[in-house]
Amino acid sequence: MRRRLCTELEKEKDFELQISLTLKENMLNILILKAFQDMSLKDFYFAYRIHERNAKEEVKTREHMERRIQAVLSLKTSIASNREKLRTRQVWNKAMAFEAKKQEMKMREAILAEGGNVAKETFLHKRLLEHEKEKQAYREQQKSRKIEIVSQILREKAAIHKRKRSQPCTKAIKGGGKLQDSVLWRMRTWQYIEESCKASRTASVGEISEETPHDVLCESDEDEEERDKVLVEPEFPGLWGQECDLRKVSKEEMDPKQLEKFQTGISHKQIVSGRECKGRTFYSKPSCIHFQDFDVGQIYKKKIVLINASYSVNFCRLVGISEWLKDFISVHFNPPGKMSSGMSCELVVTFKPMINETLEGEVMFMAQTGSFSVPLKCTAKRCILALDKELIDFGSHVVGETISRTINLTNSGALGTRFKVQTSAGDSSTWRATAKPSLGRVVEKVFTTLSLHQINCLGEIGPFSSVKLQILFVPTIPGDAQAEFVIMFDNPDCKPLFFSAIGVSVDVPVWVSNPNVDLKICMYDRLYQECIVIQSRAKATLCLKFEVCRELSKHMELLPKTGYIQAQSSFSLQLKFLPRRSLPEDAGRYFNEETGILEVPVRILIVDKAKKVNFTVHAIVTTSDLEISPAQINFGYCTIYEAVRANIKLTNKSILPQEFGFVGLPEFVEIQPNHGLGIILPLESLTLDIIFKANKAKEYSFELTCKSEINRQFKLSCKAVGVHPPLELSHSLVQFAATALNGVSTATLYVMNSHVSVNPFTHPVPRIGKGEAAPVGPTSFEFRVPEACPVTITPSVGTVLPGKKSLIQVSFRPTLSDQQIREEAVRRLCRAAAAGAEMQVRNLSRHLFDLFFSCSLTEMTLIPGFSSSDAYMAAQAFLRRNFRGRFEKYIIPCFVASGCIDEKKGSENLSYSPYNTLYLELHCPAVAPSVVVTSDNGKNTVNFGDVAVGHRTMKQITIQNISPERVELGFSVLNPNGPFLLVRPVKMLEPGENKTLAISFCPHENEWFFDVLDIRTAKTSLTLSITGRGVMPTIVCSVGEVLDVGYVIAGEKGTSTFKIQNTSPLTLRYSMQLDSLSSTRDKDRQKIPSFIMSPSQRTEFVGTQNYNGLSVFSIFPTEGEIVAGKSQDFTVTFSPDHESLYYSDRLKVVLFGKEPAHVIRLKGAARDHPMFVEGGVPLDVPVESLAVTSPTSPQEALAGGIKCCHLHFISKQEMIRQGHVPQPLRKTLLTLRSDIKETYQILLMAKVVSACAPSK
């Protein structure tokens, strides 16, 4: 409100000022007009000048007012901003005080928990904070001092530059010394700044107490982050106050017990799946934090990755670093919270070296399973110096010569140093050294036996570099010379290095420029020449005589044998060396037969002075032999339709490479590789293929010649017998197309019999070598396919007539080997058992499971029944889906015999020669299928099993496209007259897509059925084998066609049971149907009643039914399944509700909801009372119509009931004895008493016949 009021007042003042200025201008214009009317031209000009000056003053006044207004506004703005800053500062101070208080409380609690002294620790903490403040102030002071000194230097430099411009060139030249003095003074100033900075760092490091607790230390990164915070609290808290760190784990998500243990540092064992996590649970990458070759004052950072190597979720927090590294090392680590097994987190380690010393320590962490640490090492720059050798042997040399040897001084460290080479103390010999100060410098040292003075040699070696030190030996007097040298270094940490040099000098006027003549590697029987130069320092002509040792006189020669060398000149000597085969025996001790090294001493005699000069000839003598193994090849019997290959080994016995080549080869021989030409390396053995192909039936004997580059010849003898078999194949090589796994590729060829005549002059006749010709006639053949070969040949046995040919079909079906599937299954079971996944092996029986842990891998694959387990099927599907393809070659022999094959005896009656055998070579590439079956563990066989004849079943097969591209599918046609039908085909499959095929099976006969369905793609095909068996269902019932329940009192129930047995090999699905409950019964009742028809016309089986509408008969169970070979009990319940003798129904046993397999007629009778009369001639119809009771015939009667009682008739004598007179017709009344009394009139009829006397 106050700010708004100030703004309004300022606007009003500006408006008043504008109005006053406008009024003044208007008044001035009026006065000017009035004065213009009365004044002259001069006065007008004077007035105009006054007006112009006033206008300028007004503009200045207006600008001044605007500046004042802007100043006032800026003052107000600065006051407002200062107030805001003051408020922010107050909030900052409050927050810092609160944080300090909170840290103090935490520190107090931590100290009390550890049992320490709170007052002492608090005092130390305050002292440390004061020390940090003083150190910071000192740093700022040093920084300001450095800035002042640098600004002063820059000002002086600018002044000097200005003075140089103003002064002439001569004065500038005179003042060069002063300029150099100023530059020197500036360098000293910079050195002082560096030393003061180093001293401040050292002092700040040394003042920190070692007893300071770790809890009060603050990392530099955290201090910088706290200084960058802005604690301005908004008046209205918004959504920005609800931000949270997603990397932190909330306490609600963590287990309270685990959180408490993690915060207190208590670890517990981690047990997952019964296995305890042992060893380190976190690994760092890199395993050691190494700051190598650091510079003081620089800052180095390294990123470290921590990996959770435990079995489950783990936590990790930073505990601290080693006590002595706290002033130099800071760790920036944000705890990641929950970390799953295998996950990683990062931390940044910052190293700011203040002292030039090597430091070692560790960074400590606390995990859920215990503490762990990462080693930390800081290595300062240092010198690592070494010499490549410690002894230099110059050997024997003539006085006056200069011999040079080199020794390398290597620095493998990151710090360079200066060095000085001098003789070691107590050395009697002297040496002379010179140094060349260049980057690729060579420091020379010369030691002699004459000079007695010493010159120190200085040099410098940089980091990761080397220096060559050249030692010169200049003998002046004959004798032995020795010198000891030491290399001293300016770096006190580098120890001195020692080396020595020895040499021998001789006083001979003649010497050889090259005393060691190296002829390198020489071959036997080859001439080698070398020129030897002899030097003379004599002042007169000398006569020289050249001699070779007696042992080498046959192999080495010097030309000329005698010569004259002029004063202080040279002489050329020709050396000829022709090593012969007798060199090992002749040379003796000068030749090492094992290594082939030859060292021959040669003497040069000075005739007049009787002195000699020796030099040595070195050579390595090797042979030039090429060895062929074996030396003779017998190819055996070879038909004219094939080629026989034999392998030889060509070995180079020489230690030199040699070129070789087989030349003059006959037309029926071929050598591979490279047609028998090439280069063989020293002591190398090459395997060569000798391919022999007979062009006619005869015996072959020939030699092959191998020549080397020096025109040496090596022979190879060969033998063979050519065979012309009676039959021939149209193709000896069959190359199948790439066939998918479980697919089929087919090729056709012919077996031809072209032998129609035995005349050898018209055409070549079949024979073996020079043997007899084969007879003309039918010739039989038989292909023998190996057991593990996925190839089928049809027909494999047959007979071919002369001039005819037989068609042969070769099929290639690649499959996975059973052994491979078993091994993969065992590996999967082992992994499942090792991981504790018992669910994967639960489908095995207990016996197999016990055997699995007690058998080895080989024994496991031989367990019976293992090939039908789920593990076997899963392994087969896995291998099929991960099949990478393979290429195999097979050679199938075809045996040939003259004559026809007897169907009964087979080929046993035929005699054949193994030399007439033909061979068929097959190239079989197998590739991964584009489409595989994923259902039923990837089986390519659809087995419907046993299905009842006339019934239809469906099966679904899921296929998947495992190729990376879209495929179109095509299907082969199933047998149209067969029981199989493809119901739902699939046309297209995307990569990785699964779709389902439906195949139905409806057998019409009691037999096995088989068919093949090919699923074709653009590249491969998938074959499904479909099988099923039609079975005629049969049952046996324990009752016949009628089941009579008997008499039951009306309103009560009676039961009867029977049994049905399944005698068919499949499970039968049945349903029990009563005609009284049939859906067509209402239509049947619309016909003429049965009681009106004659008995022959009655077809209805349903008799009297209940009045209440419920069925009289009921059966349990009504439907279900009967397993093959089992039986099912059925219970029939009879429950009438009124009296009738004609209760009946028909029961049908229906299988698979189709036709009835058995029919049973159910009967029953009901009475109202337990006692009744039954019998006699029925007087009513057997079908109940309008009558309620059924009268009994007066002709015959029987008294009975639910428990029947019978009437007994007595004889005439008994009647007379009882006082009754028998009559031909008698009527009587029968009274039955039960729950009611009933009277029946019974007419008894009897015929009395007299007994006839027996005839004699």
Side-chain angles (χ1 to χ4, degrees):
M1 188 68 185
R2 182 178 178 184
R3 188 179 298 174
R4 183 179 179 183
L5 183 61
C6 292
T7 305
E8 294 293 336
L9 290 175
E10 289 174 359
K11 290 182 179 180
E12 289 179 0
K13 288 181 180 180
D14 293 337
F15 186 70
E16 290 177 359
L17 182 61
Q18 290 179 1
I19 292 173
S20 62
L21 291 175
T22 304
L23 292 174
K24 286 181 180 181
E25 289 178 357
N26 293 334
M27 290 296 295
L28 183 60
N29 291 330
I30 293 171
L31 291 175
I32 289 172
L33 290 174
K34 289 183 179 181
F36 181 76
Q37 294 176 0
D38 299 332
M39 67 178 60
S40 60
L41 181 61
K42 184 177 180 181
D43 295 335
F44 176 77
Y45 177 76
F46 181 76
Y48 174 77
R49 293 292 301 275
I50 293 173
H51 174 70
E52 185 178 0
R53 186 178 60 187
N54 292 336
K56 291 181 179 180
E57 290 178 356
E58 288 176 359
V59 171
K60 290 181 181 179
T61 303
R62 187 180 302 171
E63 291 176 354
H64 179 66
M65 290 297 295
E66 289 179 357
R67 286 197 298 270
R68 291 187 64 185
I69 292 170
Q70 293 295 331
V72 172
L73 293 176
S74 63
L75 181 61
K76 289 181 180 180
T77 305
S78 63
I79 291 171
S81 63
N82 289 335
R83 287 177 180 175
E84 190 69 22
K85 290 180 180 179
L86 182 61
R87 181 172 172 270
T88 303
R89 189 65 181 175
Q90 291 175 355
V91 173
W92 171 270
N93 293 334
K94 289 181 181 180
M96 292 299 294
F98 179 76
E99 288 291 333
K101 190 173 182 181
K102 185 186 294 185
Q103 292 292 336
E104 186 176 0
M105 292 300 295
K106 288 183 179 180
M107 185 182 69
R108 285 176 178 273
E109 292 175 359
I111 294 171
L112 289 174
E114 295 176 357
N117 190 354
V118 179
K120 180 181 178 180
E121 298 295 337
T122 306
F123 176 74
L124 290 176
H125 179 60
K126 291 182 179 179
R127 287 290 301 273
L128 181 63
L129 294 179
E130 292 176 0
H131 175 70
E132 289 292 335
K133 290 181 181 179
E134 292 175 359
K135 187 166 66 173
Q136 185 66 24
Y138 183 78
R139 289 175 182 171
E140 296 294 332
Q141 183 180 1
Q142 289 292 108
K143 186 176 180 180
S144 61
R145 287 179 59 192
K146 187 174 180 179
I147 292 173
E148 291 177 0
I149 294 172
V150 171
S151 61
Q152 181 66 25
I153 292 172
L154 293 176
R155 284 196 298 270
E156 290 181 2
K157 187 175 180 180
I160 292 172
H161 185 66
K162 186 177 181 181
R163 194 182 305 119
K164 284 174 65 179
R165 286 184 177 181
S166 61
Q167 292 180 357
C169 297
T170 56
K171 292 183 179 181
I173 295 172
K174 291 180 180 180
K178 296 182 179 180
L179 181 61
Q180 293 178 358
D181 294 339
S182 63
V183 173
L184 181 62
W185 179 82
R186 190 179 300 110
M187 291 176 62
R188 290 179 179 177
T189 305
W190 278 109
Q191 186 176 2
Y192 169 74
I193 293 171
E194 293 178 356
E195 291 177 356
S196 62
C197 293
K198 291 181 179 179
S200 64
R201 295 191 191 102
T202 307
S204 62
V205 171
E207 292 176 1
I208 298 177
S209 176
E210 296 181 356
E211 299 178 355
T212 305
H214 171 68
D215 297 338
V216 301
L217 291 178
C218 299
E219 298 178 356
S220 60
D221 294 344
E222 295 178 358
D223 294 340
E224 293 175 1
E225 291 178 1
E226 290 179 359
R227 285 196 292 269
D228 295 336
K229 289 181 180 178
V230 179
L231 301 178
V232 181
E233 298 180 359
E235 295 180 2
F236 303 96
L239 294 176
W240 54 86
Q242 302 177 4
E243 294 178 355
C244 61
D245 193 353
L246 298 176
R247 293 175 296 178
K248 297 181 179 180
V249 181
S250 64
K251 295 183 179 180
E252 298 177 358
E253 297 176 355
M254 297 173 59
D255 189 1
K257 295 182 180 179
Q258 292 183 358
L259 181 62
E260 182 180 357
K261 291 181 180 180
F262 180 68
Q263 291 177 349
T264 57
I266 300 175
S267 62
H268 67 279
K269 296 181 179 179
Q270 190 181 73
I271 299 176
V272 178
S273 300
R275 297 180 63 187
E276 180 181 350
C277 180
K278 296 182 180 180
R280 297 191 61 178
T281 55
F282 279 87
Y283 288 91
S284 65
K285 187 178 181 182
S287 59
C288 179
I289 308 172
H290 192 189
F291 295 95
Q292 192 174 5
D293 301 333
F294 61 82
D295 292 324
V296 176
Q298 300 293 329
I299 297 176
Y300 304 91
K301 292 185 179 181
K302 280 197 174 185
K303 183 181 291 184
I304 311 300
V305 179
L306 293 178
I307 303 172
N308 180 14
S310 61
Y311 296 151
S312 63
V313 177
N314 207 337
F315 302 91
C316 174
R317 67 179 176 90
L318 177 66
V319 176
I321 58 177
S322 300
E323 189 73 23
W324 53 88
L325 297 178
K326 294 178 180 178
D327 298 324
F328 317 105
I329 301 294
S330 62
V331 181
H332 180 70
F333 178 62
N334 292 326
K338 289 183 179 181
M339 292 178 63
S340 300
S341 178
M343 299 300 291
S344 62
C345 61
E346 296 181 352
L347 69 148
V348 179
V349 180
T350 304
F351 173 48
K352 187 174 182 180
M354 299 179 181
I355 56 176
N356 192 20
E357 294 181 4
T358 300
L359 304 173
E360 293 185 5
E362 59 184 1
V363 182
M364 295 164 284
F365 297 89
M366 174 61 70
Q368 185 180 0
T369 54
S371 61
F372 66 95
S373 61
V374 180
L376 189 146
K377 187 175 181 181
C378 306
T379 306
K381 290 184 177 180
R382 57 177 180 170
C383 296
I384 304 175
L385 300 166
L387 291 172
D388 60 344
K389 52 188 172 182
E390 297 180 355
L391 177 64
I392 302 174
D393 188 2
F394 284 89
S396 178
H397 297 279
V398 180
V399 174
E401 291 183 328
T402 301
I403 302 93
S404 174
R405 296 288 186 270
T406 302
I407 186 171
N408 292 329
L409 175 63
T410 306
N411 181 13
S412 58
L415 184 63
T417 183
R418 297 182 62 82
F419 65 89
K420 180 174 67 174
V421 183
Q422 61 186 16
T423 56
S424 60
D427 187 12
S428 60
S429 63
T430 59
W431 61 282
R432 181 174 73 251
T434 58
K436 300 178 182 178
S438 62
L439 185 61
R441 59 187 177 278
V442 176
V443 183
E444 297 180 356
K445 284 83 186 171
V446 182
F447 72 97
T448 177
T449 57
L450 295 178
S451 60
L452 298 175
H453 62 278
Q454 174 175 325
I455 303 174
N456 291 333
C457 176
L458 301 176
E460 183 177 357
I461 184 170
F464 304 107
S465 62
S466 62
V467 173
K468 290 185 178 181
L469 305 177
Q470 189 173 8
I471 314 299
L472 300 180
F473 178 40
V474 185
T476 56
I477 59 175
D480 297 338
Q482 182 177 1
E484 299 288 338
F485 298 95
V486 60
I487 305 177
M488 307 295 295
F489 303 97
D490 291 348
N491 193 334
D493 296 334
C494 299
K495 296 181 180 180
L497 299 178
F498 299 89
F499 69 94
S500 59
I502 59 174
V504 179
S505 60
V506 295
D507 185 14
V508 179
V510 176
W511 77 93
V512 181
S513 300
N514 186 11
N516 296 309
V517 179
D518 189 4
L519 298 178
K520 301 185 184 299
I521 302 176
C522 305
M523 287 185 179
Y524 285 109
D525 300 325
R526 301 280 291 176
L527 177 63
Y528 300 91
Q529 297 183 3
E530 183 69 22
C531 182
I532 301 172
V533 178
I534 302 173
Q535 303 287 342
S536 174
R537 67 170 60 90
K539 297 181 180 180
T541 301
L542 298 178
C543 180
L544 304 179
K545 186 178 180 181
F546 310 105
E547 294 182 356
V548 181
C549 60
R550 182 175 53 83
E551 292 82 357
L552 271 298
S553 59
K554 295 181 181 180
H555 310 276
M556 187 176 295
E557 184 180 6
L558 295 175
L559 296 177
K561 298 184 180 296
T562 303
Y564 291 89
I565 184 171
Q566 301 298 325
Q568 296 182 354
S569 64
S570 61
F571 181 82
S572 295
L573 179 66
Q574 192 73 20
L575 173 65
K576 292 185 177 181
F577 179 53
L578 180 61
R580 307 184 187 279
R581 295 288 176 177
S582 60
L583 178 65
E585 293 81 12
D586 297 340
R589 59 187 177 89
Y590 300 113
F591 181 72
N592 189 341
E593 192 172 358
E594 294 181 358
T595 60
I597 297 176
L598 177 68
E599 294 184 358
V600 181
V602 180
R603 292 180 297 177
I604 303 176
L605 298 177
I606 304 175
V607 178
D608 297 337
K609 297 185 179 182
K611 293 183 178 180
K612 61 181 179 180
V613 178
N614 295 328
F615 67 92
T616 307
V617 178
H618 300 273
I620 299 176
V621 183
T622 182
T623 182
S624 60
D625 293 342
L626 294 177
E627 182 182 7
I628 300 177
S629 177
Q632 185 176 2
I633 298 177
N634 187 1
F635 291 99
Y637 292 87
C638 176
T639 65
I640 62 174
Y641 305 120
E642 64 181 358
V644 179
R645 182 182 61 186
N647 296 328
I648 64 169
K649 183 178 291 185
L650 181 65
T651 305
N652 183 12
K653 296 294 184 178
S654 175
I655 60 175
L656 289 175
Q658 297 191 71
E659 294 183 1
F660 69 93
F662 285 86
V663 297
L665 296 177
E667 60 180 3
F668 46 82
V669 174
E670 182 182 358
I671 300 179
Q672 293 296 336
N674 201 23
H675 301 286
L677 304 175
I679 299 176
I680 185 168
L681 298 179
L683 304 177
E684 185 187 14
S685 295
L686 295 179
T687 301
L688 301 178
D689 295 333
I690 310 297
I691 303 172
F692 170 73
K693 186 175 182 181
N695 50 15
K696 60 177 66 176
K698 68 175 185 177
E699 294 182 359
Y700 292 86
S701 179
F702 54 92
E703 286 187 351
L704 302 180
T705 303
C706 177
K707 284 189 177 182
S708 65
E709 60 180 338
I710 59 175
N711 204 22
R712 292 195 63 188
Q713 296 184 1
F714 304 92
K715 301 291 185 178
L716 176 63
S717 300
C718 301
K719 292 182 179 181
V721 177
V723 178
H724 189 169
L727 299 179
E728 61 177 305
L729 299 176
S730 60
H731 297 84
S732 298
L733 174 64
V734 177
Q735 296 179 342
F736 288 102
T739 307
L741 203 63
N742 295 327
V744 179
S745 293
T746 304
T748 57
L749 54 95
Y750 293 93
V751 177
M752 298 181 294
N753 186 358
S754 58
H755 182 39
V756 294
S757 174
V758 293
N759 185 5
F761 302 102
T762 57
H763 62 279
V765 295
R767 65 175 60 189
I768 299 174
K770 295 182 179 180
E772 296 181 357
V776 178
T779 307
S780 302
F781 65 90
E782 180 180 0
F783 288 93
R784 291 288 181 90
V785 181
E787 294 182 358
C789 181
V791 174
T792 304
I793 298 179
T794 306
S796 60
V797 179
T799 302
V800 184
L801 299 177
K804 302 295 183 180
K805 59 183 179 179
S806 177
L807 178 65
I808 304 297
Q809 185 175 6
V810 185
S811 300
F812 168 53
R813 184 188 297 271
T815 57
L816 296 172
S817 64
D818 183 72
Q819 182 67 19
Q820 185 180 2
I821 299 173
R822 287 174 179 266
E823 292 177 358
E824 177 62 25
V826 172
R827 281 194 293 269
R828 293 169 69 88
L829 289 175
C830 291
R831 288 195 297 267
E838 298 181 358
M839 294 299 294
Q840 298 185 17
V841 294
R842 188 170 294 176
N843 293 331
L844 291 173
S845 63
R846 187 63 187 174
H847 176 66
L848 289 179
F849 189 76
D850 294 338
L851 284 176
F852 166 68
F853 288 102
S854 61
C855 297
S856 63
L857 179 62
T858 305
E859 295 173 349
M860 181 65 185
T861 57
L862 299 177
I863 294 176
F866 184 73
S867 59
S868 60
S869 62
D870 292 342
Y872 184 89
M873 298 302 175
Q876 185 179 14
F878 174 78
L879 292 176
R880 187 185 298 116
R881 296 174 67 88
N882 295 272
F883 185 72
R884 300 300 180 189
R886 66 180 179 222
F887 180 81
E888 295 176 342
K889 290 183 179 180
Y890 300 99
I891 296 179
I892 311 298
C894 176
F895 299 103
V896 179
S898 299
C900 295
I901 296 179
D902 191 355
E903 295 181 358
K904 295 181 179 180
K905 297 182 179 180
S907 58
E908 295 179 356
N909 58 342
L910 299 180
S911 61
Y912 73 97
S913 174
Y915 309 130
N916 286 327
T917 303
L918 302 175
Y919 294 94
L920 176 63
E921 184 176 356
L922 305 177
H923 292 182
C924 305
V927 297
S930 301
V931 180
V932 297
V933 178
T934 59
S935 59
D936 196 14
N937 287 329
K939 293 182 180 178
N940 284 21
T941 302
V942 183
N943 189 3
F944 285 90
D946 295 334
V947 179
V949 174
H951 299 277
R952 183 179 298 275
T953 59
M954 301 280 292
K955 277 208 172 185
Q956 293 184 346
I957 299 93
T958 304
I959 58 176
Q960 183 184 14
N961 179 14
I962 62 174
S963 65
E965 56 187 12
R966 181 181 182 185
V967 295
E968 295 183 0
L969 302 181
F971 298 89
S972 62
V973 179
L974 296 173
N975 185 7
N977 298 323
F980 300 107
L981 178 63
L982 179 61
V983 180
R984 190 168 58 246
V986 178
K987 294 184 179 180
M988 193 72 64
L989 275 179
E990 298 294 335
E993 185 182 5
N994 290 279
K995 285 191 178 180
T996 303
L997 302 176
I999 301 176
S1000 67
F1001 174 51
C1002 181
H1004 49 80
E1005 293 179 6
N1006 188 10
E1007 62 180 11
W1008 279 98
F1009 295 93
F1010 176 80
D1011 207 339
V1012 175
L1013 176 64
D1014 292 331
I1015 305 175
R1016 302 187 184 94
T1017 62
K1019 296 181 180 179
T1020 60
S1021 62
L1022 175 65
T1023 303
L1024 296 180
S1025 299
I1026 311 172
T1027 60
R1029 184 174 71 164
V1031 177
M1032 186 67 69
T1034 57
I1035 59 174
V1036 175
C1037 186
S1038 61
V1039 297
E1041 297 181 355
V1042 178
L1043 176 61
D1044 193 351
V1045 183
Y1047 287 92
V1048 177
I1049 298 176
E1052 295 184 3
K1053 295 182 179 180
T1055 60
S1056 179
T1057 61
F1058 64 94
K1059 183 182 293 185
I1060 296 178
Q1061 184 180 3
N1062 181 9
T1063 58
S1064 61
L1066 75 160
T1067 300
L1068 300 180
R1069 188 173 65 254
Y1070 66 88
S1071 62
M1072 312 300 286
Q1073 298 180 3
L1074 292 171
D1075 285 359
S1076 60
L1077 301 178
S1078 175
S1079 59
T1080 61
R1081 173 160 166 72
D1082 294 337
K1083 296 181 180 180
D1084 297 339
R1085 296 180 67 179
Q1086 303 300 324
K1087 300 177 182 178
I1088 300 175
S1090 299
F1091 60 85
I1092 298 177
M1093 299 181 181
S1094 61
S1096 60
Q1097 295 178 348
R1098 295 173 184 170
T1099 59
E1100 186 176 1
F1101 296 97
V1102 180
T1104 304
Q1105 296 296 313
N1106 287 334
Y1107 293 155
N1108 55 12
L1110 300 177
S1111 178
V1112 178
F1113 296 95
S1114 64
I1115 187 168
F1116 180 82
T1118 58
E1119 60 182 13
E1121 291 183 352
I1122 304 176
V1123 182
K1126 301 296 182 178
S1127 59
Q1128 177 69 41
D1129 293 333
F1130 296 89
T1131 302
V1132 178
T1133 303
F1134 177 52
S1135 53
D1137 62 350
H1138 67 281
E1139 184 179 15
S1140 177
L1141 300 178
Y1142 303 108
Y1143 286 105
S1144 66
D1145 206 340
R1146 186 170 64 171
L1147 176 64
K1148 298 178 181 179
V1149 182
V1150 181
L1151 300 179
F1152 301 103
K1154 299 290 183 179
E1155 309 232 346
H1158 190 70
V1159 177
I1160 304 174
R1161 185 174 183 182
L1162 305 178
K1163 288 184 178 182
R1167 292 289 186 175
D1168 291 335
H1169 307 289
M1171 300 296 293
F1172 59 89
V1173 176
E1174 182 184 26
V1177 179
L1179 301 179
D1180 60 344
V1181 294
V1183 180
E1184 181 179 348
S1185 60
L1186 302 177
V1188 177
T1189 59
S1190 55
T1192 305
S1193 171
Q1195 190 177 18
E1196 184 179 4
L1198 179 65
I1202 304 305
K1203 292 183 179 180
C1204 297
C1205 59
H1206 300 275
L1207 300 178
H1208 297 278
F1209 298 93
I1210 59 178
S1211 62
K1212 178 179 179 182
Q1213 290 80 6
E1214 186 66 23
M1215 291 178 63
I1216 295 173
R1217 188 178 62 81
Q1218 293 179 2
H1220 298 288
V1221 179
Q1223 298 179 3
L1225 181 61
R1226 183 74 177 176
K1227 184 183 293 187
T1228 184
L1229 295 176
L1230 177 62
T1231 302
L1232 301 179
R1233 295 180 181 270
S1234 179
D1235 54 346
I1236 62 172
K1237 178 181 178 181
E1238 289 187 4
T1239 302
Y1240 295 89
Q1241 183 181 5
I1242 301 174
L1243 179 63
L1244 302 176
M1245 295 176 60
K1247 185 178 180 181
V1248 181
V1249 181
S1250 61
C1252 297
S1255 61
K1256 293 182 180 179

